[in-house]
Amino acid sequence: MTIDKEIIARAKEGDQKAMGEMYIHYKDYVLRSAWFILGKQDEAEDVMENVFLKVFTHLHTFNMERDFKPWLSRIILNEARNLYSKRKGTFDNTEVFIDGASVSGVSSEEKIDIRTHLAKMDYESKELILMRYYQDLTLEEIARIKKITLTNAKVRIHRALKKMKESMNNNA
Amino acid sequence: MLNDENDIRSSIHHILDQISLQEDHFSNILHRMDSTKKTRSKQRSMIRIFAPVFLSLVLMVSLVFPVFGNENNLLDVYQNYRIHQSVNQLDRIEETLVGSQPNQDLRQFVINTLLEKDFQLTPVQIQQIMAQNIANREMIAVAVLSRISNQQPDLIMQQRKQSNWVSTLRKNRIPPSRMIQAMKSLIQEQESKPLRVFLVRGMVEAYSPETGSIMVDGVPFKIHLLQDTRFSSPIQIGMDVDIEAVYLPDTQKVGALAIRSFDPRKAGFITIFGTVVKRERHILRVSLHESGQEEQIILAPHIMHNPANFLIKPGMQIRFVAFRDQQKGFIAIRFRPENPPLNHKP
């Protein structure tokens, strides 16, 4: 999932071709992360657009010696949180199910289960699960993004996971 | 059921892999970037046009109405900000002076020595400023203004406590630019030839000729005698001394270059013996042994954390080294529970 730093450097200089390459490389990653948090396709697409706008306009502040993924992840989480708090929303269950049903290849009930439980999860747990199990960030990176200690990050992820498992076991 | 982390990871990936874009957004993003740029550029030009107009208006209003306080207008607020920036820069002096000396306890001695040697302030004047409990950079700034205005530092300190820097400068007829320049020159001067020798002053509390070390009352580190330490008289416990000290980075110790006896009275301090009658935090009522009168003695802020401070209670007999403050009375810079000598002269 990493991108050549040379592409980022060119985008930093304002090269639109490099920006295009970054967009192609990360669009699905950003969209899926936003969808995981918000549960709506249209909102995830809005977040994705805002995220890239922020990335391209603030790329000059990015420290090239650092890893790009945690930086991007922080922007995704901020943008998703902005939209979430605007609609003061809840995870839209109905749409998730409709989406789920309409997506081809969804045959396992287990996968629908995860979606159901995602809908029930609190916002922070979703963020943590996303960072750890989809974005594959290290515990150190998660702790830095959430501005918490490493131990605290471990504990919170463990709790989020436990909640998710318990909820699923109860339903099973 | 999902039982381990890998199951959850692969399931999440599997579900999310099925989410994909329904339309391309890249051209839209570029378009939005372009319009954001245009909006920002418009905002910048508007600011360039309207900011000077707005500032002129505020300046005019502030000259007529006291919106920034009775003595200030917008320009003063700006000048005050600039002076504060320069005063903050004085921290660099402290870093230059004590940077090579990791022992943080040395800091105050080094700053006091700068004030005494470079600004010719007397020990009493330094104690008067210290008693105000202000940051070292403010102490240095007061000394700078005292030097360029030929005004007494305690008076400047008083003015500074009552008003901001701009008003203090105005009272002393010094333009802000001159003050800023003086502080800049001081920083440059100190950075090019930092002070290495500093003064430690106080009463010898312990002296061991065997180990060659001295402990001075209120000084939280040992001072070691060197092979070529100069003495003006033999060291005795209880005598007041003035030690020219230096930090020795190799051994991380403080060495004495010269030790002289020091008479606090000659320097303008007063020695007071008395019995504590009443105590309210750092303010004491003391019955003086010499006159029998009761006086108020305030403990200076830098001795408040002295562990012996917590033991002071009514009935205790104490020797104070103090100076007289015009407004507050006696301010003690050192104290020691003890009986007065039979031949004591105040």
Side-chain angles (χ1 to χ4, degrees), chain B residues 215-229:
Chain B
M215 283 301 289
V216 176
D217 182 30
V219 179
F221 48 84
K222 266 187 194 170
I223 298 167
H224 296 267
L225 300 182
L226 306 174
Q227 277 188 337
D228 49 357
T229 302

Side-chain angles (χ1 to χ4, degrees), chain A residues 20 23 32 35 41 45 49-50 52-53 56 103 106 110-111 114-115 132-133 136 165 168-169, chain B residues 1-3 5 9 11 13-20 22 24-26 28-29 32-33:
Chain A
Y23 172 79
R32 288 164 187 172
W35 186 92
Q41 177 80 22
E45 287 191 19
E49 220 178 280
N50 292 342
F52 278 107
L53 187 66
F56 294 146
V103 172
V106 180
E110 214 166 55
K111 286 168 197 123
I114 285 197
R115 261 192 286 259
R132 188 70 180 138
Y133 300 107
D136 290 326
K165 279 182 186 173
M168 289 163 78
N169 287 334
Chain B
M1 210 66 290
L2 299 172
N3 286 323
E5 293 194 345
R9 183 173 276 117
S11 295
H13 273 267
H14 199 92
I15 291 165
L16 290 180
D17 283 351
Q18 293 151 13
I19 306 294
S20 55
Q22 286 167 358
D24 185 44
H25 289 256
F26 187 60
N28 203 17
I29 292 166
R32 281 179 66 189
M33 270 175 72

Side-chain angles (χ1 to χ4, degrees), chain B residues 6 11 22-23 36 64 96 122 133 143 157 169 172 193 206 224 245 250 265 297 326 335:
Chain B
N6 285 338
S11 295
Q22 286 167 358
E23 56 184 88
T36 310
V64 180
T96 310
T122 65
N133 203 15
M157 194 65 245
L169 289 175
N172 292 287
K193 55 166 193 64
H224 296 267
D250 295 344
R265 281 173 295 183
I297 297 179
Q326 286 180 342
F335 65 88

Side-chain angles (χ1 to χ4, degrees), chain B residues 76-94:
Chain B
D76 289 345
V77 172
Y78 172 65
Q79 295 282 27
N80 209 37
Y81 165 76
R82 281 186 61 213
I83 296 167
H84 267 285
Q85 294 285 92
S86 297
V87 171
N88 288 343
Q89 290 288 310
L90 289 174
D91 277 343
R92 276 167 53 192
I93 293 187
E94 203 172 314

Side-chain angles (χ1 to χ4, degrees), chain A residues 18-172:
Chain A
M19 289 181 192
E21 283 176 54
M22 280 181 78
Y23 172 79
I24 289 168
H25 192 87
Y26 284 112
K27 64 180 169 54
D28 288 337
Y29 175 80
V30 176
L31 177 81
R32 288 164 187 172
S33 296
W35 186 92
F36 187 88
I37 300 277
L38 299 161
K40 283 185 170 185
Q41 177 80 22
D42 57 340
E43 286 187 347
E45 287 191 19
D46 285 349
V47 166
M48 189 208 69
E49 220 178 280
N50 292 342
V51 166
F52 278 107
L53 187 66
K54 273 247 164 84
V55 166
F56 294 146
T57 49
H58 290 86
L59 206 52
H60 63 280
T61 63
F62 172 66
N63 181 354
M64 292 295 285
E65 284 166 18
R66 293 205 154 187
D67 202 358
F68 181 71
K69 220 166 72 172
W71 191 75
L72 177 64
S73 176
R74 198 190 294 260
I75 297 176
I76 297 170
L77 293 180
N78 284 344
E79 286 303 316
R81 190 174 276 269
N82 283 347
L83 207 143
Y84 186 81
S85 57
K86 259 184 211 163
R87 71 156 139 103
K88 293 196 193 294
T90 48
F91 198 89
D92 193 333
N93 252 344
T94 329
E95 185 162 336
V96 174
F97 280 119
I98 293 166
D99 272 1
S102 67
V103 172
S104 61
V106 180
S107 52
S108 158
E109 280 191 10
E110 214 166 55
K111 286 168 197 123
I112 296 173
D113 258 4
I114 285 197
R115 261 192 286 259
T116 318
H117 298 293
L118 270 181
K120 288 178 189 166
M121 272 168 81
D122 62 282
Y123 192 88
E124 201 202 16
S125 301
K126 266 192 285 186
E127 280 186 338
L128 291 166
I129 300 266
L130 172 79
M131 283 191 278
R132 188 70 180 138
Y133 300 107
Y134 178 68
Q135 298 184 335
D136 290 326
L137 298 186
T138 63
L139 288 167
E140 286 82 2
E141 286 167 341
I142 294 171
R144 221 174 294 135
I145 290 173
K146 296 294 290 175
K147 292 178 184 157
I148 53 176
T149 61
L150 190 62
T151 322
N152 207 339
K154 274 185 203 168
V155 171
R156 288 196 200 183
I157 290 169
H158 177 74
R159 276 192 205 140
L161 206 55
K162 202 175 159 194
K163 262 190 223 168
M164 196 164 147
K165 279 182 186 173
E166 273 173 6
S167 149
M168 289 163 78
N169 287 334
N170 287 342
N171 277 16

Side-chain angles (χ1 to χ4, degrees), chain B residues 62-75:
Chain B
S62 70
L63 285 171
V64 180
F65 302 105
V67 282
F68 295 111
N70 283 331
E71 292 174 18
N72 297 303
N73 55 42
L74 181 64
L75 202 61

